[in-house]
Amino acid sequence: MVSRRNFLIGGAALPFLSYIELADTAFAATPKDILVVAQQLDNMTSLDPHEGFEAVGGEVMSNMYQKLVRANSDNPDQVLPVVAASWEADADNKVFTFKLADAKFSSGAPVTGEDVAFSLQRAIKMNKSPAFIINQFGFTAENVESRIVAKDAKTVTLTTEQPTAISFLLFCLSANIGAIVEKKVVLANETNGDLGNAWLQKNSAGSGSFKLQAWKASESITLVLNENGPYKGNLKRVIIRHVVDPSSQMLMLQKGDVDIARDLTSEQLKALQSDDSIVLVRKQIASLVLISLNQNNANLAKPQVWQAVKWALDYEGMQKNIVPLTHAVHQSMEPAGFPGTVTDTPYKQDLEKAKALMAEAGLKDGFDITLDHYSAQPYPDLAQAIQANLGAIGIRVKLQSAENRQVLTKMRARGHEMALSAWGTDYFDPNSNAEVFCINKDNSDDAKKKPFAWRSSFKSDEFTAKAEAARDEKDPAKRLALYETLQRDFMANSPFAVMFQTTRTAACRKNVTGFQLGVLSEGNSYLETNKA
């Protein structure tokens, strides 16, 4: 275990049957060694850990693969060793040496330094969506074989382009892009130089708790035990069924057709709170709900308006009456559960203060504006509450509802005025959000990099400098202190009103224990799950 203070010290296949087939032919309830989960699965595109970048797929992959380290969701100042037994940085903070623990792939072969180096090299060479998480350290397809090297079977070195805080590197390596695959198996299934990508999309070659038996898109996923892996419980198989309708999930859970339901609404969760046969496992995840004010609009470009909007909102009322079991009030750009997150909530509804700020901005009589928002609940209800709150200080809001992808497309084109949307964090380090909210060096329409701040035409050289200084600080404690200061500055001096953080709930039958939810989806784990 690695604390804030000592961060720098290294610390047989079964034939596939659907659950319905099993239930009809063998038993009335789910058997003790098979866990059945109802979950929405329709956003998955690949189970190759160096390609897949969706939430549900990330969860599945994290149960099939191990990484050098993993983030500790229960203590965000820590990373925990997995395949890496220890690590250390050189005096220049550019060469990082990892010593490996004993681990085995599902094939029975040992995990070696060659497998680790190959895996990280593969992620860079393939250059799929999540590659940015580790290529930001200067790794390229041309240099990666010389910069990520297996010194021997138990030693791997990574050489970064610039001096790097080891805490930053470790948290990035804890993402699924750092998953270790078995080199021999992957290359044996290579096609046309794809490094086994096509095969690994629907197969597995990892050392995690389970291995993939079958994936039927928008239908089901079946995982079977990796007998050589870290799982020590009584499960032999995990069957995840694609069930879109939360009401169907609820009914199946109550009847015992499934052991866990993953997508229930607040109203359903309320009903289950008094059900002794169900245990609710809850976790705040790294997803924020916020309002963005586009700086291309002259009224929204005034700092007094930023403040007025934040003081006008009834955060607590919306949380209590609209999203009581699915969201919590949160006002920092960094999600709770991350290292160094500020959990202060300085903004409470104060309409008189908001009106005074509007007058100071020369907008005593208010103005008209359009708010884009997602059409799926709870966003329409939240938008109506926001409309009423802002109307009380003279901001006359017209609501524009659209599908998630349409709202995002409009924001990415800078076409919104105000937008109510969500932002999910990419990896377990404060730089993940600080980079997209604070670092915008080119605010032109044709900029190569278009972070979240760019979408609302927000450029602050001061925030850029502070975010880069925090990112590059080598001392872990000082680094987190810089992020804490940055968060408070951002709350007070940015055109973004962060309102809530999402909470996910897994509704489990009472005989299921040990299922874990993580701050990121890859922290959702069956490693300690048992079924009585």
Side-chain angles (χ1 to χ4, degrees):
M1 182 176 291
V2 181
S3 69
R4 181 187 297 201
R5 290 184 177 275
N6 64 1
F7 219 135
L8 296 178
I9 302 174
L14 298 170
F16 176 76
L17 292 172
S18 73
Y19 171 65
I20 292 177
E21 292 170 318
L22 286 168
D24 286 346
T25 59
F27 40 77
T30 61
K32 291 183 179 180
D33 60 355
I34 297 179
L35 187 75
V36 184
V37 182
Q39 188 171 0
Q40 296 172 6
L41 301 176
D42 54 355
N43 74 336
M44 294 172 52
T45 60
S46 172
L47 288 177
D48 184 333
H50 301 145
E51 177 182 40
F53 207 37
E54 298 88 17
V56 176
E59 172 184 324
V60 175
M61 291 183 290
S62 70
N63 283 280
M64 299 190 297
Y65 295 93
Q66 293 180 307
K67 292 153 281 191
L68 287 169
V69 296
R70 69 177 177 88
N72 184 351
S73 290
D74 295 325
N75 190 334
D77 290 348
Q78 299 175 342
V79 291
L80 303 176
V82 184
V83 171
S86 65
W87 48 84
E88 63 181 6
D90 72 349
D92 296 325
N93 288 292
K94 292 181 67 176
V95 180
F96 302 88
T97 301
F98 293 83
K99 293 292 185 178
L100 306 187
D102 293 332
K104 287 185 177 181
F105 290 109
S106 57
S107 68
V111 178
T112 68
E114 186 176 0
D115 293 303
V116 173
F118 168 78
S119 298
L120 298 177
Q121 293 167 4
R122 178 180 186 268
I124 296 297
K125 291 177 181 178
M126 285 175 50
N127 198 30
K128 301 292 185 178
S129 295
F132 76 93
I133 296 174
I134 55 175
N135 69 22
Q136 63 184 314
F137 297 106
F139 302 125
T140 66
E142 292 72 29
N143 69 26
V144 70
E145 290 190 10
S146 63
R147 289 193 174 179
I148 300 179
V149 178
K151 295 296 186 180
D152 56 48
K154 290 290 186 180
T155 310
V156 177
T157 62
L158 279 67
T159 303
T160 58
E161 184 176 30
Q162 300 294 332
T164 300
I166 193 170
S167 55
F168 181 29
L169 176 66
L170 290 174
F171 278 124
C172 290
L173 291 174
S174 74
N176 274 333
I177 190 68
I180 300 164
V181 300
E182 186 173 1
K183 178 180 179 180
K184 180 179 179 180
V185 172
V186 170
L187 290 183
N189 290 280
E190 184 177 35
T191 303
N192 298 323
D194 73 344
L195 294 174
N197 177 228
W199 181 80
L200 211 53
Q201 289 175 349
K202 292 189 175 183
N203 293 276
S204 65
S207 57
S209 297
F210 296 89
K211 55 186 178 181
L212 184 65
Q213 184 178 54
W215 168 29
K216 295 184 178 181
S218 295
E219 183 178 326
S220 63
I221 299 170
T222 299
L223 306 176
V224 293
L225 177 67
N226 170 16
E227 295 180 353
N228 299 299
Y231 179 76
K232 304 302 180 186
N234 67 338
L235 297 179
K236 302 298 183 184
R237 196 187 310 193
V238 176
I239 300 173
I240 309 172
R241 297 182 57 190
H242 176 52
V243 182
V244 177
D245 180 22
S247 296
S248 297
Q249 290 193 18
M250 176 85 155
L251 181 61
M252 295 167 73
L253 180 71
Q254 291 176 320
K255 291 176 62 179
D257 293 336
V258 300
D259 301 302
I260 303 177
R262 296 289 303 278
D263 302 295
L264 302 184
T265 66
S266 271
E267 290 303 313
Q268 292 166 336
L269 294 174
K270 282 183 183 178
L272 291 178
Q273 285 181 320
S274 58
D275 189 335
D276 292 338
S277 68
I278 304 298
V279 175
L280 302 181
V281 178
R282 296 168 56 79
K283 187 76 173 182
Q284 276 194 316
I285 66 170
S287 178
L288 306 177
V289 176
L290 71 159
I291 301 173
S292 302
L293 311 183
N294 196 329
Q295 299 303 280
N296 283 336
N297 181 289
N299 291 329
L300 300 181
K302 297 183 177 184
Q304 298 96 328
V305 174
W306 307 348
Q307 287 286 326
V309 168
K310 294 172 186 179
W311 285 112
L313 298 174
D314 183 8
Y315 306 88
E316 294 180 359
M318 283 185 267
Q319 192 279 331
K320 180 180 179 181
N321 297 307
I322 301 174
V323 290
L325 295 180
T326 58
H327 295 78
V329 175
H330 184 80
Q331 296 175 352
S332 170
M333 66 176 176
E334 299 288 356
F338 264 47
T341 292
V342 169
T343 57
D344 301 351
T345 54
Y347 292 102
K348 314 289 182 183
Q349 188 179 49
D350 188 331
L351 295 178
E352 293 308 311
K353 180 180 289 189
K355 289 176 182 177
L357 286 162
M358 290 288 288
E360 185 180 329
L363 295 168
K364 182 179 180 180
D365 296 328
F367 56 87
D368 297 299
I369 205 75
T370 298
L371 175 71
D372 291 280
H373 64 87
Y374 303 153
S375 57
Q377 288 292 1
Y379 292 92
D381 289 349
L382 290 173
Q384 289 181 28
I386 292 166
Q387 181 185 48
N389 291 167
L390 297 186
I393 64 169
I395 300 178
R396 297 174 291 276
V397 177
K398 176 184 176 182
L399 300 181
Q400 183 68 50
S401 175
E403 292 183 352
N404 182 304
R405 60 182 177 83
Q406 293 173 310
V407 174
L408 294 180
T409 297
K410 189 172 183 178
M411 292 182 70
R412 288 166 180 161
R414 294 173 151 184
H416 65 290
E417 291 182 323
M418 296 177 67
L420 173 66
S421 66
W423 177 261
T425 309
D426 291 317
Y427 55 91
F428 204 96
D429 185 88
N431 180 69
S432 182
N433 275 14
E435 181 176 28
V436 295
F437 282 109
C438 297
I439 301 178
N440 180 21
K441 295 184 176 181
D442 182 358
N443 203 39
S444 63
D445 288 341
D446 59 352
K448 288 186 178 180
K449 290 188 176 182
K450 299 179 179 180
F452 194 85
W454 177 93
R455 297 179 187 180
S456 290
S457 305
F458 179 61
K459 181 177 183 291
S460 168
D461 293 339
E462 180 182 356
F463 280 154
T464 294
K466 288 181 176 180
E468 289 183 331
R471 179 195 64 196
D472 297 336
E473 172 57 52
K474 307 305 179 296
D475 181 272
K478 291 180 181 178
R479 185 171 185 262
L480 295 183
L482 289 175
Y483 277 119
E484 290 169 6
T485 299
L486 177 61
Q487 289 169 74
R488 292 190 172 92
D489 287 348
F490 189 85
M491 279 190 219
N493 301 297
S494 76
F496 302 97
V498 181
M499 301 170 62
F500 304 110
Q501 183 170 344
T502 303
T503 295
R504 293 289 187 219
T505 302
C508 306
R509 291 191 64 82
K510 196 171 183 178
N511 62 329
V512 175
T513 58
F515 177 70
Q516 296 179 348
L517 290 173
V519 175
L520 298 178
S521 62
E522 59 204 44
N524 300 341
S525 174
Y526 298 107
L527 176 63
E528 298 180 8
T529 306
N530 279 281
K531 185 175 172 185

